[in-house]
Amino acid sequence: MAMDSAKLILGGKEFELPVTTGSEGEIGLGIKSLRAETGAITLDSGYANTGSCESAITFIDGEKGIMRYRGYSIEDLCEHAIFPEVCYLLVFGSLPSTEELETFVHDLTHHSLIHEDMKKFFEGYPPNAPPMSVLSTIAASLSAYYPVNDDPAISELNIIRLLAKLKTIAAFAYKKSIGQAYVYPRNDLSYAGDFLHMMFAVPSEDYELDPLIERTLDLLLILHADHEQNCSTATVRMVGSSDANLFSSISAGISALSGHLHGGANVAVIKMLNMIREDGGNIRKYMEMAKDKSSNFRLMGFGHRVYKNFDPRANVIKSANDRILSELGTEDPLLDIAKELERMALEDEYFVSRKLYPNVDFYSGLLYRAMGIPTNMFTVMFALGRLPGWIAQWIEMKNDPRKRIYRPRQIYTGSLSRPVVPLADR
Ligand code: SDX
């Protein structure tokens, strides 16, 4: 049956709601004039059922475990593309030709230095400064060095600058936190290779890039590159809707991602697996805690607002874990615990009935560990991957002719009108 119209009956009156149908058949009920016509608003905590925009960037089918960037499946892109190609696809809307990719990679490579004065920011932080806080702050500071205006050439150059420099800022933040000298970007390395070199090279030794680690990082960056209207992306759109500049909008997205319910989950998963290991591998105990609401404990890396079958990214990362660890010839006891935890949860009514499956964060931390990335940098890796998606979504929002500043309504439940009693009489 066609779903091209909808009626709302409120107070005995009928109201017609316009219907928008997406290219994948998704149905959206238009409520733009709802309050004007009915005096009522919709109420949807966490926007679980509310669409904030129409978007042509990423499509997710949570029931079928489908995820596509601009129509290309994530599995296909992981197989056939490199991260800079996916950055180009998300930001410009199509896969680049060989020449377009060469020019794009050249630009990313030659804009990866940061202004020497920016190093002073790092000096002000204590060694244990949370890397995501450092990343968010310095990302916002880029607008102090690179003028922001509506000139399309400047806007495109700032996109290149941000994509090129955020990995340098991330690596410099790491080096500062361990008291080592900064390692500058190199123009002869790939995006992933250059980041690994800036993270792990030390002036006194030759650093040999492991192609397996380089390719694995590139894969993880692709898997994290966009995910439609998740918390941090919605934040980037919301901040950008006030006409804040790109750097400030991305800084806000980095802050939103840092929460352990979102991008911070990859760190929380490792903490949880270590807790289970140190507790004698008693997985059942932690599963029962996760089912007990009073425990305030959740299985980190499990569950998703959209995926109610499986997160296709988790599947790709899980198989990459097996492959990488065997090629590296390393064992990780936490991987065995993770697999057993997944197996038990997928047989447990509590998780099955709530459709709680491993998400992208469940296995990604184990892969970062295998690559030698320190735990406190896991969410930074997520941010580096998500950056092209944030940028693409920000651009789409800015170019939307119907764009309006984000300003949700509320239902007030506080005190009714009352007079102020003078302090002396209170
Ligand atoms: C990311 O949105 C995106 O796309 C995000 C992301 C991206 O690429 O941008 O995919 C990245 O953020 C992945 C999610 C990483 N976070 C975690 O792994 C943290 C643990 N997961 C949960 O906190 C939770 O599942 C969320 C935050 C992911 C989703 O939260 P929802 O959709 O608001 O779900 P909910 O809190 O309403 O839970 C529904 C039910 C509740 O039980 P009941 O009230 O129905 O009895 O499921 C339970 C929850 O208690 N539940 C869990 C659980 N997740 C949900 N119970 C135990 N362990 C969990 N992990």
Side-chain angles (χ1 to χ4, degrees):
M1 183 178 165
M3 302 252 269
D4 48 12
S5 71
K7 280 195 173 42
L8 172 73
I9 297 171
L10 183 62
K13 286 176 70 182
E14 253 190 31
F15 301 91
E16 187 91 15
L17 296 180
V19 171
T20 299
T21 305
S23 49
E24 290 280 354
E26 295 165 308
I27 301 287
L29 304 184
I31 54 169
K32 187 169 186 294
S33 52
L34 182 68
R35 191 169 185 277
E37 290 180 15
T38 70
I41 61 169
T42 55
L43 201 52
D44 182 21
S45 166
Y47 304 129
N49 304 285
T50 298
S52 62
C53 61
E54 293 175 46
S55 177
I57 299 170
T58 292
F59 172 69
I60 299 174
D61 182 323
E63 282 65 34
K64 295 181 188 144
I66 290 172
M67 177 177 147
R68 300 192 198 112
Y69 296 152
R70 303 279 190 189
Y72 298 99
S73 80
I74 189 64
E75 294 84 357
D76 225 1
L77 288 166
C78 288
E79 183 75 29
H80 300 294
I82 58 171
F83 181 59
E85 269 179 284
V86 171
C87 290
Y88 189 100
L89 171 66
L90 289 169
V91 170
F92 299 109
S94 57
L95 282 170
S97 64
T98 306
E99 295 72 28
E100 288 167 334
L101 183 58
E102 278 169 7
T103 306
F104 186 61
V105 168
H106 174 275
D107 291 346
L108 291 182
T109 301
H110 290 82
H111 284 280
S112 51
L113 280 170
I114 59 173
H115 194 293
E116 280 292 298
D117 286 351
M118 293 191 86
K119 292 193 319 189
K120 296 189 183 89
F121 293 132
F122 297 96
E123 305 319 316
Y125 285 105
N128 61 346
M132 283 294 274
S133 305
V134 176
L135 198 71
S136 171
T137 313
I138 299 183
S141 307
L142 287 168
S143 54
Y145 289 82
Y146 304 106
V148 175
N149 62 37
D150 293 338
D151 175 343
I154 295 286
S155 298
E156 185 163 326
L157 180 54
N158 281 336
I159 288 167
I160 295 287
R161 283 168 168 153
L162 189 49
L163 284 167
K165 296 177 192 304
L166 200 67
K167 71 177 190 312
T168 306
I169 293 167
F172 278 27
Y174 172 64
K175 284 297 196 186
K176 170 67 173 70
S177 74
I178 58 173
Q180 281 188 6
Y182 304 124
V183 174
Y184 280 66
R186 272 181 34 183
N187 291 353
D188 60 328
L189 298 177
S190 70
Y191 185 98
D194 189 28
F195 176 75
L196 291 167
H197 180 259
M198 289 192 283
M199 279 281 288
F200 298 120
V202 286
S204 50
E205 294 160 21
D206 288 337
Y207 173 75
E208 197 177 323
L209 204 51
D210 180 332
L212 174 67
I213 303 283
E214 182 181 6
R215 179 62 191 132
T216 304
L217 176 55
D218 193 85
L219 173 76
L220 282 164
L221 292 169
I222 291 173
L223 286 165
H224 288 82
D226 191 53
H227 214 238
E228 55 135 281
Q229 305 311 313
N230 59 85
C231 177
S232 54
T233 299
T235 301
V236 169
R237 280 180 171 255
M238 177 172 265
V239 171
S241 75
S242 75
D243 224 14
N245 67 60
L246 174 65
F247 301 122
S248 303
S249 304
I250 297 300
S251 169
I254 294 169
S255 296
L257 187 71
S258 67
H260 79 283
L261 291 184
H262 191 10
N266 54 22
V267 176
V269 168
I270 298 300
K271 283 181 183 156
M272 175 185 72
L273 295 175
N274 269 317
M275 207 160 48
I276 294 173
R277 182 176 59 165
E278 284 152 21
D279 198 352
N282 186 350
I283 295 174
R284 176 58 60 193
K285 170 183 166 187
Y286 290 87
M287 279 185 60
E288 292 312 314
M289 269 167 59
K291 292 151 67 173
D292 170 9
K293 294 282 185 281
S294 63
S295 74
N296 251 344
F297 174 81
R298 285 191 162 191
L299 278 195
M300 301 317 281
F302 258 78
H304 199 277
R305 178 63 60 78
V306 175
Y307 290 121
K308 300 304 175 192
N309 190 329
F310 63 91
D311 182 337
R313 302 167 298 177
N315 290 356
V316 174
I317 294 173
K318 183 179 175 183
S319 54
N321 261 307
D322 291 333
R323 191 173 68 250
I324 305 308
L325 285 171
S326 66
E327 287 191 35
L328 290 174
T330 52
E331 300 272 315
D332 186 345
L334 297 189
L335 179 57
D336 300 333
I337 294 175
K339 286 182 174 177
E340 180 57 12
L341 177 56
E342 177 186 6
R343 187 194 63 75
M344 290 171 67
L346 298 187
E347 291 172 0
D348 185 293
E349 189 279 333
Y350 174 93
F351 296 95
V352 173
S353 64
R354 290 169 179 77
K355 301 186 177 190
L356 302 176
Y357 298 91
N359 58 50
V360 66
D361 292 302
F362 188 63
Y363 286 107
S364 58
L366 294 166
L367 208 42
Y368 290 133
R369 262 163 67 96
M371 295 160 58
I373 304 276
T375 305
N376 70 344
M377 287 291 286
F378 286 3
T379 311
V380 170
M381 305 313 296
F382 193 144
L384 291 182
R386 186 52 52 89
L387 180 60
W390 285 332
I391 292 170
Q393 298 271 356
W394 187 87
I395 292 167
E396 189 176 68
M397 177 275 303
K398 297 295 276 189
N399 294 339
D400 183 344
R402 296 156 299 179
K403 95 170 162 71
R404 305 176 75 190
I405 189 169
Y406 277 39
R407 202 271 182 225
R409 304 299 299 250
Q410 64 166 25
I411 295 295
Y412 177 70
T413 56
S415 304
L416 301 180
S417 172
R418 52 183 174 166
V420 173
V421 174
L423 185 59
D425 301 334
R426 270 181 242 157

